[in-house]
Amino acid sequence: MSCGARASGICAAIEEGDLQRLAALATPIAVPAGRTFITEGDPAEHFFTITAGTAKLFKLLPDGRRQITGFASIGTFLGLAVSSSYAFNAEAVEDSQICRFSRIRLRTLIDDFPALERRLLDVASNELVAAQEQMLLLGRKTARERVASFLLARESGLAGCTTLPRGSILLPMARTDIADYLGLTVETISRTMTRLRSERLIEMRSPTEIVLSNHDRLEALATGMA
Amino acid sequence: MSCGARASGICAAIEEGDLQRLAALATPIAVPAGRTFITEGDPAEHFFTITAGTAKLFKLLPDGRRQITGFASIGTFLGLAVSSSYAFNAEAVEDSQICRFSRIRLRTLIDDFPALERRLLDVASNELVAAQEQMLLLGRKTARERVASFLLARESGLAGCTTLPRGSILLPMARTDIADYLGLTVETISRTMTRLRSERLIEMRSPTEIVLSNHDRLEALATGMA
DNA sequence: CGTGCTTTTGAAAATCATCAAGTATAGTGG
DNA sequence: CCACTATACTTGATGATTTTCAAAAGCACG
């Protein structure tokens, strides 16, 4: 609830007083790291919001190849689906806390909170823009550019959220996850980050804490201008 | 207006009688092949629906690399953007016909046609699902798998739409466009299609008319099972 | 029947993947 | 508390898919 969960989540559209009623419809669930809580193809009976932690959303090919389509953190709304079954999987990256709502009550919910529909449309529109950006990354950027883009994207959106030194980011997900998100292999991620470090573009406090030392050059790299 | 423009377009949510009023707000525009009608970064003053022809939506990198994020054909709604400027470009692939609406009147429009908001959410949700599928393609599929997926995707959604022989598809876009959509080069597209042809999975009446001769094997290929 | 553009084909090169192994890190039980 | 094991991360050598560079073939249009 700290750092903008309310401001950025779908609840942002809801009056403070109404939050009580909304909360009554939600089932809070603790999800341990590694647990899958949405499975592709399963009937889409619920939708979710993440109240703590991080989840990865992904699709699979029959032979196990995996594409992570996004990471969802605090305040993110999950489960937008027109079809009657989920089109992706969701798994907790770290121990997380989610709120579950019944999908069949979504209609009722929207009737009760009309602003919600507008808000959902905004959420969907934003995700669509992000998805297009990711398609550009996956289809046209080099490994270096992908990693730079990823690191920078991790930086924005956590303003005031953490107690990290300025310019630092935390990577709660494993290298394998980053690889499956960027359409690369673990080895390439590792090598690329090592190279970025040797070029003093980043600094690695630990595998999970990265300092973006040369923001400008990273930015240039990420946008394909280097 | 034939083959489902009304059924699949956003207007599907609107009563027949109200269509008149809606039409009064729209500016029909003829867009010749090759003309750009949405430019990334420009103020998002309008939104559009395509009433004839095909458009490509794309993003660019400063050095000219291009990623086509989708092809929009009859009935498609364009311009969902929360931000005040467009996040992508749109250009007509063939001579097309579009309807332009003022964005600032969208709110009014939605107030007049409440079903519209629901409809827009559905459109956005569907596009999101398609975008995730495309991320899987761009991040994890081989060239062969991408081309097979593309051809199959072109097949569905035109049921009863054309006078083409059963199993045939038309590709209004150039090879370069297919390449930029699939994250490959023109040469790879060409080589891959030649190979699919030599394996009797497809037949090429002309560069733009393709027959999907072996639907099952194409399907297996597209889903990574071959 | 050129002229220009799209598509196709060929040869060489490059980026990234694969295979393999070493190092660090965290959690577990003695 | 410390060794031990499992896992994650990193590094190296090799290889393959796809890109790049180059040019020929096909088509449309004037």
Side-chain angles (χ1 to χ4, degrees):
Chain A
M1 287 304 177
S2 51
C3 73
R6 229 174 96 31
S8 64
I10 49 163
C11 304
I14 297 173
E15 302 284 323
E16 187 61 52
D18 288 332
L19 265 183
Q20 309 295 330
R21 294 177 52 207
L22 187 61
L25 294 173
T27 308
I29 301 176
V31 185
R35 157 102 30 104
T36 296
F37 61 94
I38 296 179
T39 301
E40 181 171 2
D42 275 6
E45 293 166 348
H46 304 100
F47 60 98
F48 307 85
T49 68
I50 299 193
T51 54
T54 309
K56 55 190 176 198
L57 317 180
F58 59 97
K59 289 177 72 82
L60 294 168
L61 287 172
D63 62 2
R65 277 174 287 173
R66 184 177 68 158
Q67 178 64 39
I68 293 183
T69 57
F71 293 102
S73 55
I74 188 165
T76 306
F77 174 82
L78 289 184
L80 265 184
V82 177
S83 130
S84 57
S85 50
Y86 295 115
F88 58 89
N89 308 276
E91 176 185 321
V93 165
E94 47 187 348
D95 292 339
S96 303
Q97 200 65 38
I98 64 179
C99 272
R100 193 183 72 186
F101 297 81
S102 159
R103 167 171 295 279
I104 50 178
R105 274 191 227 149
L106 178 57
R107 212 58 239 160
T108 319
L109 211 56
I110 289 177
D111 292 341
D112 285 4
F113 308 105
L116 203 55
E117 183 144 60
R118 180 76 197 281
R119 183 76 190 149
L120 285 177
L121 186 54
D122 284 355
V123 167
S125 303
N126 280 323
E127 283 193 38
L128 218 40
V129 169
Q132 286 164 358
E133 189 66 41
Q134 190 70 358
M135 286 190 238
L136 176 64
L137 180 149
L138 292 170
R140 288 304 180 212
K141 290 188 183 178
T142 66
R144 264 166 78 77
E145 292 165 350
R146 293 184 203 198
V147 172
S149 302
F150 174 73
L151 294 175
L152 286 170
R154 283 271 118 196
E155 188 185 32
S156 46
L158 48 66
C161 245
T162 63
T163 55
L164 283 172
R166 178 110 178 91
S168 274
I169 59 173
L170 280 181
L171 304 178
M173 67 293 290
R175 293 288 187 268
T176 309
D177 292 334
I178 301 178
D180 283 346
Y181 180 56
L182 300 180
L184 300 167
T185 60
V186 203
E187 294 93 329
T188 299
I189 299 295
S190 189
R191 275 187 254 273
T192 304
M193 293 191 62
T194 300
R195 178 154 166 231
L196 290 178
R197 185 185 53 190
S198 76
E199 295 170 333
R200 306 264 181 275
L201 296 190
I202 64 175
E203 211 174 302
M204 291 172 64
R205 296 285 171 80
S206 78
T208 62
E209 188 186 345
I210 314 284
V211 185
L212 310 188
S213 327
N214 195 330
H215 202 283
D216 291 348
R217 277 188 60 199
L218 270 181
E219 196 82 55
L221 228 186
T223 53
M225 303 196 295
Chain B
M1 287 303 178
S2 51
C3 72
R6 228 172 98 32
S8 64
I10 49 163
C11 304
I14 297 172
E15 302 285 321
E16 186 62 52
D18 288 330
L19 265 182
Q20 307 295 330
R21 293 176 52 207
L22 186 62
L25 294 172
T27 308
I29 300 176
V31 185
R35 156 103 29 103
T36 295
F37 61 94
I38 297 180
T39 300
E40 180 171 2
D42 275 6
E45 292 164 349
H46 303 100
F47 61 97
F48 307 85
T49 66
I50 300 193
T51 53
T54 309
K56 54 191 176 198
L57 317 181
F58 59 97
K59 289 179 72 81
L60 293 169
L61 287 172
D63 62 2
R65 276 175 286 174
R66 185 178 68 159
Q67 179 63 40
I68 293 182
T69 57
F71 292 102
S73 54
I74 189 165
T76 306
F77 174 82
L78 289 183
L80 265 185
V82 176
S83 132
S84 58
S85 49
Y86 295 116
F88 58 89
N89 308 275
E91 176 185 321
V93 166
E94 48 187 346
D95 292 339
S96 303
Q97 202 64 38
I98 63 180
C99 271
R100 194 182 72 186
F101 297 82
S102 159
R103 169 171 294 280
I104 51 178
R105 274 190 226 150
L106 177 57
R107 211 58 239 159
T108 318
L109 213 55
I110 289 178
D111 292 341
D112 284 5
F113 307 105
L116 204 54
E117 184 145 58
R118 180 76 197 281
R119 184 74 191 150
L120 285 177
L121 187 54
D122 284 354
V123 167
S125 303
N126 279 324
E127 283 192 37
L128 218 40
V129 170
Q132 287 164 357
E133 188 67 40
Q134 190 70 0
M135 287 190 239
L136 175 64
L137 180 149
L138 292 170
R140 289 302 179 212
K141 289 188 184 178
T142 66
R144 265 167 79 75
E145 292 164 351
R146 294 184 201 197
V147 172
S149 302
F150 174 73
L151 295 175
L152 287 170
R154 283 271 117 196
E155 188 185 31
S156 47
L158 49 63
C161 246
T162 62
T163 56
L164 283 172
R166 179 106 179 93
S168 274
I169 59 174
L170 280 181
L171 303 178
M173 68 292 290
R175 293 289 187 269
T176 309
D177 292 334
I178 301 178
D180 284 346
Y181 180 57
L182 300 180
L184 300 167
T185 60
V186 202
E187 294 93 329
T188 299
I189 299 296
S190 188
R191 275 187 253 274
T192 305
M193 292 191 62
T194 301
R195 178 154 165 230
L196 290 179
R197 185 186 53 188
S198 77
E199 295 169 335
R200 306 266 181 274
L201 296 189
I202 64 174
E203 209 174 303
M204 292 172 63
R205 297 285 170 81
S206 77
T208 62
E209 187 185 346
I210 314 283
V211 185
L212 310 187
S213 327
N214 196 331
H215 202 284
D216 291 348
R217 279 189 58 199
L218 271 181
E219 196 83 54
L221 227 186
T223 53
M225 304 195 295

